[in-house]
Amino acid sequence: MTTIINYNLKNDNGIRQVLVTHDGEYYVVSHSTLMSEPETFIFKCDKNGTITDWREVGGRKYATLDEVLSDMDEHLYSSEHLAFLGQV
């Protein structure tokens, strides 16, 4: 189950970040339009939203923030994302 803790953790300069808990862990879901292709990725963080590991643990290019938030199970550690990172 995913619970949104702070929907407006960051919202400026083409980056929007949301702090969530999912299955007892904390994550920042970050949507960026800074690159040529929009992307939404998931990062591990602490309970305050400070990212503790900059390795992406989920998400994908072209996904909206709400798409990822609505189905964290699909996007977190997904085979599609791991293949994107070259880990499959």
Side-chain angles (χ1 to χ4, degrees):
M1 178 176 176
T2 302
T3 302
I4 296 173
I5 297 171
N6 185 343
Y7 195 76
N8 290 304
L9 185 64
K10 180 178 183 177
N11 189 9
D12 64 296
N13 297 325
I15 297 175
R16 174 99 188 261
Q17 294 181 337
V18 176
L19 173 61
V20 303
T21 60
H22 182 78
D23 292 339
E25 300 289 329
Y26 291 93
Y27 298 98
V28 167
V29 181
S30 181
H31 179 75
S32 173
T33 57
L34 297 176
M35 307 303 279
S36 60
E37 304 159 336
E39 56 191 27
T40 302
F41 291 118
I42 305 167
F43 301 94
K44 288 184 138 193
C45 69
D46 65 17
K47 65 180 181 176
N48 299 310
T50 301
I51 294 173
T52 57
D53 188 341
W54 283 97
R55 287 181 293 173
E56 300 150 4
V57 295
R60 65 182 167 88
K61 288 186 179 268
Y62 304 110
T64 68
L65 186 61
D66 289 332
E67 286 174 329
V68 174
L69 290 172
S70 69
D71 195 351
M72 287 283 288
D73 286 323
E74 176 186 336
H75 294 283
L76 192 61
Y77 298 107
S78 70
S79 57
E80 177 185 344
H81 185 72
L82 293 175
F84 168 75
L85 295 175
Q87 297 177 2
V88 173

